[in-house]
Amino acid sequence: MILIQNFLSAKIQFLKGVGPANAAKFNKLGIYTIGQLLQHYPRRYEDRSTLKLIGELTDGLYESFRAVVINVSDLKSHRGLKIIKITVRDQSGIAQLTWFNQAYIKNKYKPGMELIISGRIQRRLTMLEVNKPDIELAAEFNASSGRIIPVYPTTEDLPQWRLRALIVQALKLFQNVATQEAVESLPADIIAAHKLLNRQQAVINIHLPANMEILVNARRRLVFEELFLLQCGLAYLKQKTKSGLKGIKHAPDGVLVSKVEKSLPFTLTNDQLKALHEIKADMEDTTTMQRLVQGDVGSGKTVIAAIALTKTVESGYQGAMMAPTEILAEQHYHTLAQLLTPQGITVAILTGKLTRRARDKIIQHFKEGVIDIVVGTHALIQDDVEFAQLGLVVTDEQHRFGVRQRARLEAKGNQPDVLIMTATPIPRTMALTVYGDLDVSVIRELPPGRQPIATYSRSNSRRNKVYLFAVEQIKAGRQVYVVCPLVDESDKVAAQSAVKMHEELSATFFKNISCGLLHGKMKSQEKDAVMASFSCGEIKALIATTVIEVGVNVPNATVMIIEGADRFGLAQLHQLRGRVGRGEYKSYCILLSDNTNEETVERLTIMTQVNDGFVLAEKDLLLRGPGQFFGTNQHGLPDLKIADIVRDTDILLEARRAAQQTICSAAYLDKVWKTLQDWFGEKFNMIFCR
């Protein structure tokens, strides 16, 4: 066991042919040790198991064939490139092999040599051509080299052949030092129950598969292992939270909660009632609540948070609600104050824009327990902010915060209950992977009266009609958003900027209309003033960046025009669309883009057809993959080495069930913890130290 661990943790320079220069190239790929090299899995494979005749080759496909060299020549292009051409033939025809600026090729292959050639086939008039093919001498061709060849993620200065050669060397050493027991990471009963290869077989065959069947089995084993260990880690984290220090036991609902609920000007939906029931049950338990509430745009999550905060106040505690932006914090503050102040609950706001004197006064009131609920930005987590008795922490749009920021707020109380909210619907597979340690409540229903927003995708050739329609809406008494991808013009990015768009629209379509400009580079006071003017109707058209993506509630706004819509993902487009349709009037979202890329057209078409944020989230995940879903490195999404939570949903669910049913010993959990630390590196704390 010690031998194999020492081998896997050995620096890559331990391998023959890896000096400091080559090691630096591998380091660019995040490969520092032999273990990391063996976990650098192929991104695809080329099947060279079937050799074809030249006459059978298909244009555009990657294929392999056997042929004899009949001529080697070199020439120079008009641009000065040196071109090496080798003509080969078999009994069915002739093909040409081509290299650019690789003069050594001319001396490597001679007429009469028989070669095994693999590459992408291209038809050039009457001749088949293969650019920069992979070549083996027929005399040296064997079963292992002629079957399935791995293709790895790599850098320009680290060719595939060198990467392959080093991995083959590492695999030979691995076989010499490894025993099945020493390298195994899964319990024997799990391997048997799920009919998995042992780890040694899987590692070898993921790199050097004898055939497609064993490659499929090797990948399934390694995907299952990765997801099983991740789920074990999350289950352990959840268990540790549940069985750790006892949390706050809130009292059953009393008069105050009842009064707040009865004062609501609307009836809660069934989904809201279900989420509220789950939250109250958690809060009345001695186990610390760790609950995620997912709700689509406008589904009414804030009112659920307000009732939960009322419950903590009624039990004699204070509540804190943290939002990622001042605009969103202000929005929550006004909502909570309007709802709770009439019931005698004191609500305050703490953001970076307060004067020193005002800030100090509010902080003192927290500490003395004079204030019941505080809403704020990351200003809440500063060292001098103290609470008399913090009972509930609510974090909104949590993926915009780092894990340490959330933890610092929770640490200001003695095991307070934690409620996390997000208006970004998260696909089930991602929720199980990223938030597997949390209990989840989902609000899919929208409150009665919310109308679907009519969404259209238009090219820039129809911009005039779009803006004339916006003017008509303004004349009818409504208000309009125009969202741009950039703040300022850029030479590097061909996209509309908010500053330029504001100038252009103020001089043309919106010439006699009050226009506002809002973007992230503005000072807080400026942003607040603009938003206040827009909210009260003084500003009729607001030209902005995505700073208005969340937390802006203007019921009179009925038109959302998104310039350069191709530059946004589905989840973000849906968030922006959710800024309209919040009142009694019919609302519209118009996506402007000239991008004809197939995926972009598909994404914008989906937006015009689907209003359900959860459906859009699933489609966004399929189109863009998990890495881009949140658009931030703060979300704690693990960098999976081989598993794909979109493609491997079935294995994820199988591995999750297995992890939940497995009773792991302390020693095994320690091993799981260490493995996960090795795998995820710096992201380990982000994922597992919530």
Side-chain angles (χ1 to χ4, degrees), residues 500-527:
K500 184 182 177 185
M501 183 62 64
H502 180 258
E503 292 174 0
E504 179 188 317
L505 291 176
S506 296
T508 54
F509 295 104
F510 299 159
K511 187 172 184 179
N512 297 313
I513 294 169
S514 56
C515 294
L517 174 65
L518 189 70
H519 56 74
K521 290 185 178 180
M522 294 166 63
K523 292 180 179 178
S524 295
Q525 294 89 336
E526 293 176 307
K527 286 190 283 190

Side-chain angles (χ1 to χ4, degrees), residues 478-489:
R478 309 286 78 79
Q479 289 167 275
V480 172
Y481 293 101
V482 178
V483 173
C484 303
L486 303 177
V487 175
D488 299 303
E489 278 193 279

Side-chain angles (χ1 to χ4, degrees), residues 88 101 158 183 228 293 295 303 336 381 407 455 457 491 506 587 662:
V88 297
N101 284 341
L158 189 59
V183 298
F228 175 82
V293 176
V303 71
L336 293 178
I381 64 175
T455 305
S457 178
D491 295 331
S506 296
S587 294
T662 301

